[in-house]
Amino acid sequence: MVHVVIAGAGIVGVSSAIWLQRAGHSVTLVDRMEYLTRTSFGNAGVLAAGALIPVSVPGLLKKAPKMLFNRNEPLFLQWAYLPHLLPFLAKYLSFARMDHVQHYAKHMSYLLGDTHAQHQSLAAGTGAERFISDDDFCFGYGTKDSFTSDGWTRDLRRAHGFEIEELDGAEFAERDPMYPDQFAKVACYKNHGRISDPGAYLETLLEHFQSEGGQMVAAQIEDIEMQDGQCRALITDQGRISGDHLILAMGAWSGPVAKKLGIKKIALESERGYHIELHAPSMMPKAPMTVAAGKFVVTPMEGRIRCAGVVEFASADAPAQEAPIALVKRQVKALFPDLTYDHLTEWMGRRPATSDSLPVIGPATTCGNAHIAFGHQHVGLTGGPKTGRLIADMVSNTLSNADLSAFDPARYQ
């Protein structure tokens, strides 16, 4: 048994902590504990097993400039941040190739494909089971042409074993009255899953971790102490926190520490997302729905509807902007003109995006007692439990025949 210190208590850090605990290790979680800022709190709540298509797809370079200057497109940039962002964007756009899409899909299908089962295993016996369901994940298209043009994404997902039910809009309306005439076609990805309240889900897992003897420290992580190729301690505003092994899972804030662990060329940016929640709505959708035209997701939550989407490139520490939230509000109003609700809340969070869109999972390259787990961009909730299991197996030296080369931190050494 070793004492593992985990930097970051989002879904990846908490999943790692629980699996390490079950493997017999003692674990300390270190995080600012600012719950409302966590990406794990504010995601769309979908277990997106079939999320095999990265944002950087062929044609993005041509479309991006027009999108940035169109207030009705879900891509935003804080222009003062552009000089800092340019090196990342150059690398990011270099992966907008079909061969990389195929590479991404192959490896992400392994990480995400069994997410519902992974969440059930993680939550077993914790009390968090009640938040997990096996809903379909639907994609609604306003026109048959838009449905047809997106056919290649369905073909790719089917090639990786996903079952998709295709319905006319009228057929789907009989299934879900929330959408009487909004869509011409709907693609339903079967048995994906949903978390009905991601924030409460994470909190319940944390409470279980503590009830099993896990330690939590609320602290701002400032640095790491290295000696003789080993990580000796986290340096925080609450003092040194030492352990035998370190897991770095700080999401969009992982970059500086990762570089000290040997990931010198990591290109990591904050790809910010926004959501609004409609509390006590007059109607509730049956299952999560991606509105293809607006690139946002409508998800039923406990007592509210969450509408999440938008990509904004900006500093992780920059304040939220009004334009992305205003776009989501306009889209929701156009989609549900007759929907009423008690009140509305807003949120913004930071997705950790790598230049190749693939997460970084594996051993540190210059430190013999550290592992790295971050960079899941849009699919942190989906991939968190399996990532945590993989990390726990690595720390415990449990052999695996899985091909994890695409996630290897050494690609950024």
Side-chain angles (χ1 to χ4, degrees), residues 20-21 38 70 91 100 113 138 142 167 199 202 208 214 218 223 233-234 247 268 286 290 302 318 352 382 385 394:
L20 284 162
Q21 207 173 46
R38 292 178 178 168
N70 186 339
K91 295 178 181 178
H100 182 69
C138 302
L167 300 171
L202 187 65
H208 171 78
D223 203 348
L234 289 179
I247 307 299
L268 181 73
K286 304 291 186 185
T290 289
E302 295 190 355
T382 303
M394 292 176 191

Side-chain angles (χ1 to χ4, degrees), residues 52 54 97-107 156 160:
L52 308 186
R97 314 182 312 265
M98 189 51 69
D99 65 317
H100 182 69
V101 172
Q102 296 283 355
H103 172 76
Y104 179 92
K106 172 186 174 182
H107 293 282
L156 181 59
H160 286 280

